[in-house]
């Protein structure tokens, strides 16, 4: 219940009055009546009961057992032939569904920090690939400063570089400056870039002026054309135009994305490092008729897949006490548990110095198979001993090593061609349900849009009990194991080696 409420904390959510957490339209609940009913159901829930939530609406409470999840969530799922934005919006208008994004509808969003380390790791990989291990002396051009994209400028500067970020919403720019993710706002393109502007206008302008850009990406809400501002439309007029003519708005948005992506390809041709950051902007540009949209890769095949082969991914936790001292205690526990991991130690120190908490104090760090359960069990011990003042909630982004089928992002360019195989996130949800997670979710759409992904999430609670310790050990072992298994099955030698070395049983391993 605290985590659902935290998703809608004004410090956390983009539009809490509309139940929108992040990602343009990602909601925590279908309606305020549904939200109230979820809260009431959770308050009455027994230790051997499970609440069922269908696209943000509580639909049943069933007697299960103490190892079963307290909540099972399914968001935005449609039968494949009907999995289009048009059909989804028709059903949404009827009040029958909602868009859950990834961690919005699964109640484990922790603000911009939730994507920060993944963004940091991505830019570190860019630095290692092209710039000698550091972004010092480089300029990154990107767009989108919402709940996900807002992590970009701080991640770049943590790697030593300079970021120029474009957004059409002044409130997002202001929030990122207030929270320390951005340093300053430029006035115009002569000064650096007109931060308050439309990327589809600014990117081509910078390209034509031969701006010295080294790295280009984008994290606008391009996955949903109704949340991307078309060229020639004032931000203040966006909502009215969208409501008046959604089909025309969608076409204009896609045409603008084609211009945006064409400029990115132009920077690629000029020698910049260019990548898609998982928001489907390439696919939308292709729908608008731009035939070079996929000339640059997605960030997962370009930089992150080796981490996935080790079962690594965005592990996160939040302190239900609301006390930042509890996060300081868990930070120290991580440093004590993994003293040889210098990159992890550097991240924990940087996060402690630079990350502004939004809502409940929280932390993210990428841990892999054989590591996450050690952290979970240790946190539970700290709760039991009183070193932590209240329980800790442990979860992850759905963007993880073995929990997503997304051909434009996490599973793009798989070695065996299995990009669109969606069995894996379903198996992941089933495994976490069987292993004792506190709540488990299966969603459709996420950060790439309707018809383009299936993904699953899990969350556990460390309350200091022996039962919690047993559940944490099992869930936080089996969940990342799915990443090792999935990539071993796809033919990645690195994953097969990890499986063999660490005892992950894969019956038909190569």
């Amino acid at each position: 219940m605290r985590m659902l409420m935290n998703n809608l904390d004004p410090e956390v959510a983009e539009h809490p009055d509309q139940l929108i957490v992040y990602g343009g339209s990602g909601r925590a609940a279908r309606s305020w009546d549904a939200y109230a009913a979820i809260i009431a159901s959770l308050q009455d829930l027994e230790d051997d009961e499970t609440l069922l939530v269908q696209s943000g609406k509580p639909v049943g409470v069933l007697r299960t057992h103490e190892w079963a999840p307290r909540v099972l969530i399914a968001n935005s799922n449609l039968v494949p032939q009907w999995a289009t934005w048009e059909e989804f919006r028709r059903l949404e208008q009827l009040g029958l569904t909602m868009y859950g994004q990834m961690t919005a509808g699964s109640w484990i969003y922790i603000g911009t920090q939730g994507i920060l380390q993944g963004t940091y790791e991505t830019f570190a990989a860019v630095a290692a690939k092209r710039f000698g291990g550091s972004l010092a002396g480089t300029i990154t051009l990107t767009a989108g400063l919402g709940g996900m994209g807002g992590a970009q400028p701080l991640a770049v500067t943590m790697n030593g570089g300079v970021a120029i970020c474009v957004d059409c919403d002044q409130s997002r720019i202001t929030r990122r400056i207030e929270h320390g993710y951005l340093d300053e706002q430029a006035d115009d393109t002569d000064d650096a870039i007109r931060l308050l502007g439309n990327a589809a206008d600014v990117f081509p302008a910078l390209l034509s002026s031969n701006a010295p850009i080294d790295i280009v990406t984008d994290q606008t809400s391009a996955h949903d054309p109704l949340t991307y501002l078309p060229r020639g439309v004032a931000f203040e007029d966006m909502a009215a135009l969208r409501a008046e003519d959604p089909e025309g708005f969608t076409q204009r948005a896609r045409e603008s994305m084609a211009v945006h992506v064409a400029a990115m390809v132009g920077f690629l041709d000029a020698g910049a490092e260019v990548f898609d950051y998982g928001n489907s902007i390439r696919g939308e540009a292709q729908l608008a008729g731009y035939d070079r949209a996929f000339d640059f890769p997605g960030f997962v095949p370009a930089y992150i897949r080796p981490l996935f082969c080790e079962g690594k991914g965005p592990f996160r936790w939040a302190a239900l006490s609301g006390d930042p001292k509890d996060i300081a205690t868990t930070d120290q526990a991580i440093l004590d548990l993994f003293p040889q991991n210098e990159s992890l130690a550097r991240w924990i120190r940087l996060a402690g110095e630079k990350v502004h908490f939004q809502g409940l104090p929280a932390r993210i760090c990428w841990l892999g198979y054989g590591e996450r359960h050690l952290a979970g069990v240790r946190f539970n011990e700290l709760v039991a001993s009183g070193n932590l003042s209240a329980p800790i909630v442990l979860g992850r982004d759905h963007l993880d090593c073995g929990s997503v089928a997304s051909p434009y992002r996490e599973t793009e360019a798989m070695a065996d061609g299995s990009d669109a195989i969606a069995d894996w996130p379903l198996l992941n949800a089933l495994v976490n349900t069987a292993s004792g997670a506190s709540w488990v979710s299966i969603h459709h759409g996420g950060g790439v849009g309707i018809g383009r992904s299936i993904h699953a999430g899990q969350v556990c609670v460390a309350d200091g009990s022996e039962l919690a310790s047993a559940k944490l050990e099992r869930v936080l072992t089996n969940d990342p194991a799915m990443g090792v298994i999935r990539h071993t099955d796809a033919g990645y030698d690195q994953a097969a080696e990890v499986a063999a070395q660490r005892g992950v049983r894969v019956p038909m391993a190569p």
Side-chain angles (χ1 to χ4, degrees):
M1 185 172 73
R2 287 294 304 280
M3 295 306 295
L4 169 58
M5 292 177 170
N6 189 63
N7 267 20
L8 293 171
D9 186 308
E11 274 281 294
V12 175
E14 290 187 359
H15 302 290
D17 57 315
Q18 302 172 49
L19 293 163
I20 292 176
V21 182
Y22 76 96
S25 58
R27 285 180 162 82
R30 194 185 305 181
S31 66
W32 282 109
D33 286 344
Y35 173 84
I38 291 170
I39 294 296
S41 299
L42 291 173
Q43 289 175 325
D44 293 338
L45 204 64
E46 300 292 340
D47 290 343
D48 62 350
E49 292 180 331
T50 297
L51 171 65
L52 306 179
V53 177
Q54 181 263 318
S55 289
K57 175 184 175 182
V59 294
V61 176
L62 300 175
R63 180 64 52 83
T64 53
H65 53 85
E66 64 178 7
W67 271 80
R70 297 282 69 78
V71 187
L72 292 172
I73 300 170
N75 279 317
S76 319
N77 296 292
L78 297 173
V79 173
Q81 186 172 332
W82 284 262
T84 65
W85 274 118
E86 292 75 18
E87 178 63 10
F88 172 80
R89 290 188 180 112
R90 184 185 74 82
L91 296 168
E92 186 179 39
Q93 283 293 111
L94 293 172
L96 299 175
T97 190
M98 73 164 200
Y99 201 64
Q101 255 289 347
M102 287 191 156
T103 53
S106 59
W107 314 340
I108 189 61
Y109 185 67
I110 60 171
T112 301
Q113 185 194 171
I115 198 66
L116 179 59
Q117 194 193 358
T119 310
Y120 167 82
E121 295 286 354
T122 297
F123 282 107
V126 172
K129 175 183 177 182
R130 282 284 301 271
F131 303 104
S134 171
L135 295 185
T138 68
I139 298 174
T140 295
L141 172 64
T142 186
L145 289 168
M148 296 289 96
Q152 295 175 102
L154 182 55
V156 170
T157 57
M158 281 179 160
N159 279 287
V162 171
I164 298 173
C165 308
V166 186
D167 202 292
C168 60
D169 184 345
Q170 178 63 54
S171 68
R172 290 179 171 181
I173 297 170
T174 301
R175 174 179 278 201
R176 300 307 160 212
I177 292 173
E178 289 175 347
H179 291 177
Y181 283 82
L182 272 174
D183 293 323
E184 61 184 55
Q185 181 171 345
D187 295 324
D188 53 46
T189 51
D190 292 331
D191 184 12
I193 192 167
R194 189 174 174 221
L195 278 175
L196 182 63
N198 192 322
D201 293 326
V202 176
F203 277 43
L206 286 170
L207 178 65
S208 65
S209 67
N210 296 313
I213 303 299
D214 302 288
I215 302 160
V216 183
T217 188
D218 174 71
Q219 272 199 306
T220 56
S221 295
H223 67 282
D224 180 354
L226 289 183
T227 63
Y228 184 100
L229 182 67
R231 300 173 74 200
V233 176
F235 178 73
E236 296 75 16
D237 299 331
M238 183 178 180
L241 181 61
R242 180 171 55 205
E244 176 185 323
D245 182 14
E247 290 186 8
F249 187 102
T250 294
Q251 183 58 33
R252 290 182 65 180
R254 284 177 172 153
E255 290 170 355
S256 297
M257 288 186 228
V259 174
H260 185 162
V261 171
M264 296 175 73
V265 171
F267 281 112
L268 177 72
D269 291 343
E273 183 80 2
V274 181
F275 60 95
D276 177 300
Y277 217 138
N279 61 353
S280 281
I281 195 167
R282 293 173 300 168
E284 295 295 330
Q286 186 179 62
L287 287 173
Y290 182 58
D291 60 8
R292 292 189 64 191
F294 283 84
D295 276 19
F296 54 89
F299 76 104
V300 171
Y303 314 114
I304 298 299
R305 185 149 295 141
L307 299 177
F308 281 179
C309 287
E310 295 183 43
K312 288 186 176 180
F315 183 60
R316 62 179 62 176
W317 60 93
L320 293 181
S321 65
D323 187 349
K325 292 180 182 177
D326 280 350
I327 293 301
T329 299
T330 59
D331 283 350
Q332 187 58 52
I334 291 293
L335 295 174
D336 293 342
L337 282 169
F338 308 108
Q340 305 305 317
N341 191 330
E342 294 181 5
S343 64
L344 176 61
R346 181 171 184 266
W347 162 254
I348 291 293
R349 288 192 292 269
L350 282 170
E353 295 169 4
K354 295 180 178 293
V355 171
H356 171 89
F357 293 138
Q358 296 170 256
L360 290 174
R363 181 68 75 229
I364 184 153
C365 74
W366 279 48
L367 294 178
Y369 179 77
E371 296 175 331
R372 296 187 202 184
H373 74 283
L374 298 177
V377 170
R378 179 61 181 140
F379 292 175
N380 197 62
E381 292 170 350
L382 291 169
V383 174
S385 66
N387 287 292
L388 290 172
S389 60
I392 297 288
V393 167
L394 304 96
R396 56 163 172 76
D397 197 347
H398 291 203
L399 189 165
D400 199 19
C401 52
S403 60
V404 191
S406 184
Y408 286 164
R409 196 159 83 174
E410 291 86 348
T411 54
E412 178 180 338
M414 294 294 288
D416 63 347
S418 62
D419 303 22
I421 297 294
D423 298 332
W424 297 100
L426 304 182
L427 286 171
N428 178 268
L430 291 169
V431 163
N432 285 318
T433 298
S435 299
S438 299
W439 65 93
V440 177
S441 54
I442 299 176
H443 294 198
H444 166 212
V448 292
I450 291 293
R452 292 172 175 159
S453 72
I454 302 290
H455 41 95
Q458 63 79 18
V459 184
C460 296
V461 178
D463 62 10
S465 67
E466 292 184 8
L467 179 61
S469 181
K471 290 180 177 181
L472 288 160
E473 191 279 331
R474 194 151 314 170
V475 173
L476 298 180
T477 297
N478 294 343
D479 185 39
M482 287 300 301
V484 177
I485 292 169
R486 198 272 182 262
H487 288 84
T488 298
D489 187 77
Y492 289 91
D493 292 340
Q494 181 185 358
E497 291 171 6
V498 170
Q501 292 168 1
R502 304 183 193 176
V504 180
R505 295 172 61 187
V506 184
M508 296 180 68

